[in-house]
Amino acid sequence: MLVLRRRAGESFLIGDEIEVEVLAVSQQGAKIGIRAPKETVVLRKELKVTQDENTQAASGPSARDLEQALRKLRP
Amino acid sequence: MPAVETKYFGIVSYAEESAVLFPQGLPAFEEERGFVLIDAPEGAPLVFLQSLARAGLCFLAIPILSIDSSYQLAIAPEDLENLGLNAGSQPGMGTDVSVLALVSVRDGFLASANLMAPLVLNVRTRRGLQAIRRDSRYSHEHPLAPLARAQATKGTRPPETAC
């Protein structure tokens, strides 16, 4: 992973079109501003992780396989 | 009594108080708001979160305290506000809120539970949301093997209120 040290008011570029600026840094965390093309999806990573995990959770066992799946949970 | 077509149990009648509303839906399922919680004796402590709108959509969930009896909530203030709860303090599990972890199935068996983003239900309003933690204290893929140990100590905690 590339590691950069930036202060509030400083920014960096990703490619030609994405700029990430550190707006403020406090005890609560860093406030980040992002300039990117409209079509670029910017998502908190934990939200993306949750979406993926929910999608996985929704494809649970079929009704036929439920009992088998539950059995494997038993001690 | 209303009834719903379910993924696993055919048509099931349910009490109004078993219905829950997620006003914002769940991430990746934003359009799914209404669910009903179904307890299946053969599945305990598993709970089935059946969509009221889509028969084929049924999440499997487990009361989070059944997985980790010392689980600590860290619900963001804005999530607490959306739940209609005091944003200044964490609610009581079992008293103010029910907390469930969604279970993921891999290769046909219940593999992991998402402890990073629990479903939190306000027990008074029956409204809930998926409260994504900001910290990295708990995994979104907590392996389910420890459940066997949690079940062994079942008598020491109140399963009704844990959910």
Side-chain angles (χ1 to χ4, degrees):
Chain A
M1 184 189 282
L2 171 69
V3 178
L4 299 171
R5 188 178 294 275
R6 300 271 70 188
R7 294 196 168 83
E10 297 179 342
S11 64
F12 58 89
L13 303 169
I14 300 173
D16 295 332
E17 296 190 293
I18 299 173
E19 180 181 1
V20 180
E21 182 176 344
V22 179
L23 300 173
V25 181
S26 71
Q27 289 280 346
Q28 278 73 47
K31 194 172 179 183
I32 307 284
I34 299 161
R35 253 177 233 108
K38 268 205 312 286
E39 61 274 15
T40 303
V41 179
V42 178
L43 220 51
R44 288 190 292 141
K45 184 182 173 185
E46 58 270 30
L47 180 58
K48 170 75 174 134
V49 167
T50 303
Q51 288 175 343
D52 291 348
E53 203 58 34
N54 283 355
T55 303
Q56 178 74 32
S59 64
S62 66
R64 213 185 46 197
D65 296 338
L66 177 66
E67 201 178 317
Q68 182 71 16
L70 293 180
R71 198 175 302 141
K72 293 201 175 161
L73 193 67
R74 300 277 160 257
Chain B
M1 219 181 215
V4 58
E5 190 185 343
T6 66
K7 179 174 177 180
Y8 295 115
F9 310 109
I11 292 175
V12 169
S13 307
Y14 62 96
E16 293 282 5
E17 57 268 27
S18 300
V20 292
L21 181 70
F22 294 92
Q24 302 146 303
L26 304 177
F29 296 89
E30 285 79 6
E31 72 289 0
E32 299 290 340
R33 312 257 158 98
F35 286 85
V36 60
L37 285 169
I38 301 172
D39 292 305
E42 68 272 29
L46 219 61
V47 182
F48 296 82
L49 190 67
Q50 171 67 48
S51 161
L52 286 172
R54 240 166 85 189
L57 180 64
C58 182
F59 291 100
L60 309 184
I62 295 182
I64 214 154
L65 294 176
S66 297
I67 300 169
D68 181 348
S69 58
S70 59
Y71 188 86
Q72 300 276 316
L73 288 173
I75 305 172
E78 55 268 37
D79 285 343
L80 288 168
E81 256 168 53
N82 285 331
L83 282 164
L85 296 167
N86 176 4
S89 64
Q90 292 296 312
M93 273 190 278
T95 51
D96 304 318
V97 291
S98 298
V99 186
L100 297 166
L102 287 182
V103 172
S104 278
V105 174
R106 288 186 180 81
D107 304 325
F109 67 96
L110 309 179
S112 64
N114 185 348
L115 301 192
M116 188 199 78
L119 300 181
V120 181
L121 298 167
N122 181 330
V123 296
R124 193 174 47 82
T125 63
R126 306 296 302 176
R127 284 165 176 251
L129 51 76
Q130 191 162 15
I132 304 173
R133 297 181 74 102
R134 303 289 163 82
D135 60 15
S136 50
R137 186 165 171 184
Y138 295 98
S139 169
H140 64 281
E141 289 177 318
H142 180 85
L144 267 183
L147 188 63
R149 287 200 294 278
Q151 281 182 324
T153 59
K154 202 171 174 180
T156 61
R157 66 192 161 72
E160 291 298 320
T161 53
C163 165

